[in-house]
Amino acid sequence: MDSSTEADHGAASADDAAVAGAPEKASAAEPGPGDPGGPGAERSVPAWRRSLRPYLLIVPALLLTGGILYPFGLGLYYTVFDFAASKPQPDLVGLENYRRIFTDSSFWDSAWVTVLYAVGAAAVETVLGVAVALLLHRSTLVGRVLEKVLILPLMIAPVIAAIIWKLMLQPSVGVVNHLLRPFGLGGVQWTDTPTGALLSSIAVDVWVYTPFVAILALAGLRSLPASPFEAAAVDGASWWFTFRKLTMPMLWPYVLVAVIFRFMDSLKVFDIIYALTEGGPGDSTVVLQIRAYLEAIRFQRYSFGLSYMIVLWAVVYLAAMVLVRYLGRIQNRAAEVPK
């Protein structure tokens, strides 16, 4: 009896000793100030290296910014001279190139064509893109299949798409007139008249970039909250009322982002128009970008063509600034919570 009691006391003492020693072992296993990863690891890094880290992180951004600003500044510098292939020794002319641009009627003709093209393409793409997004928003098998097919035009380079449509719009051998011939509409001169050439260029732009607007609008539709639409359905609201009062006000910030991208891109269009009409017939589809190309490359008046590009940059910048500010107001209005 006594021997068993002593054995029990010995086992209890050993357990107490193990418990008492556990914190010491745990504390001994923790990394010390000098160990890697310990509290003093950061102190082992020199102070100059820690202060240099933020500047190293912005080096790629600085290189990218310099790569953009250097050619821009060089082009701006060339515009105050009269560089041309016929004048190997240019003279300093100041703002003479800009004065010639704004007093030239061809500039205002090109500016008008550019505005018509940009507004027409952006408006049609916005309407069609939102309509396609509303159709695809319905979860059906056809909608899911069309959603995958929708991105196919975006996978084709715009210049290739313009060349394909140029062949399709040929008056005699084009497939479009061939399909319209049974309806008595064959033989249409799609790109041989000023109006037809401009409308055909806008149509090709719409075919290429409407999926871009539709994808953004569809993403916006899928992110809208469901509760307002459920409440409208319970109240018996019509589809048109729901679309005007709920869908479009909440979807408008997403649509406006697409409008900004497409309008700015359409202002500086070159590839579609040049591949489809080369600016013709005559100068009917010569936008500012093509006018700059003609002056700088074909006529070899380098400084004058660069001046056109600087003017176009200013137009795009001002348009983007106005649209982005309007987008900010729309987003702030959409984010307001009624009190």
Side-chain angles (χ1 to χ4, degrees):
M1 184 70 177
D2 294 337
S3 60
S4 62
T5 303
E6 292 176 358
D8 294 340
H9 282 296
S13 301
D15 293 340
D16 294 341
V19 173
E24 297 177 359
K25 293 179 181 179
S27 61
E30 293 179 357
D35 296 337
E42 186 66 24
R43 300 193 192 96
S44 63
V45 180
W48 65 271
R49 287 179 57 184
R50 290 200 302 271
S51 61
L52 193 62
R53 285 176 185 173
Y55 301 98
L56 293 177
L57 292 175
I58 65 172
V59 166
L62 291 176
L63 292 177
L64 180 62
T65 304
I68 295 173
L69 292 181
Y70 174 74
F72 178 80
L74 189 62
L76 192 63
Y77 169 76
Y78 284 155
T79 60
V80 299
F81 291 88
D82 57 351
F83 282 97
S86 60
K87 193 168 187 179
Q89 298 296 330
D91 297 324
L92 180 65
V93 296
L95 301 178
E96 176 64 20
N97 289 319
Y98 297 101
R99 188 197 65 79
R100 287 176 56 197
I101 286 176
F102 290 112
T103 56
D104 189 0
S105 60
S106 61
F107 165 77
W108 297 106
D109 294 338
S110 297
W112 176 243
V113 174
T114 303
V115 171
L116 286 179
Y117 183 93
V119 172
V124 176
E125 288 164 10
T126 301
V127 174
L128 289 181
V130 173
V132 171
L134 290 172
L135 292 176
L136 296 180
H137 186 52
R138 300 177 180 274
S139 183
T140 61
L141 178 61
V142 177
R144 288 193 294 270
V145 172
L146 291 178
E147 183 179 345
K148 306 302 185 294
V149 178
L150 186 66
I151 64 173
L152 290 179
L154 293 175
M155 300 170 65
I156 303 175
V159 64
I160 301 300
I163 293 174
I164 293 173
W165 276 97
K166 184 177 183 178
L167 296 175
M168 294 172 60
L169 294 175
Q170 286 294 324
S172 57
V173 298
V175 66
V176 175
N177 280 341
H178 177 72
L179 295 175
L180 294 177
R181 191 167 292 117
F183 304 97
L185 300 176
V188 178
Q189 306 291 327
W190 295 101
T191 59
D192 292 342
T193 62
T195 303
L198 182 60
L199 293 178
S200 299
S201 302
I202 293 175
V204 175
D205 195 296
V206 168
W207 183 82
V208 173
Y209 290 110
T210 295
F212 172 77
V213 180
I215 290 172
L216 287 182
L218 184 60
L221 284 172
R222 290 178 176 173
S223 67
L224 298 182
S227 55
F229 299 95
E230 294 173 353
V234 170
D235 293 339
S238 64
W239 177 87
W240 178 243
F241 179 86
T242 304
F243 176 75
R244 288 189 302 112
K245 299 298 184 180
L246 292 179
T247 305
M248 278 311 298
M250 290 190 290
L251 186 63
W252 184 237
Y254 300 92
V255 175
L256 190 57
V257 171
V259 170
I260 291 173
F261 277 103
R262 290 306 313 133
F263 185 71
M264 289 191 301
D265 199 34
S266 298
L267 283 176
K268 53 188 182 65
V269 65
F270 176 84
D271 43 11
I272 290 178
I273 293 181
Y274 193 79
L276 188 66
T277 66
E278 296 187 8
D283 289 345
S284 59
T285 56
V286 174
V287 293
L288 288 175
Q289 189 89 307
I290 293 181
R291 180 70 66 184
Y293 165 79
L294 294 176
E295 294 290 345
I297 305 301
R298 182 170 296 182
F299 305 144
Q300 297 183 340
R301 295 194 286 259
Y302 309 123
S303 293
F304 196 54
L306 283 170
S307 301
Y308 262 99
M309 293 303 301
I310 296 298
V311 172
L312 178 60
W313 169 83
V315 171
V316 175
Y317 177 79
L318 292 175
M321 185 174 59
V322 171
L323 289 173
V324 168
R325 286 185 177 180
Y326 179 66
L327 174 63
R329 291 198 298 267
I330 292 295
Q331 290 176 336
N332 292 335
R333 191 182 309 164
E336 288 180 356
V337 179
K339 297 181 180 180

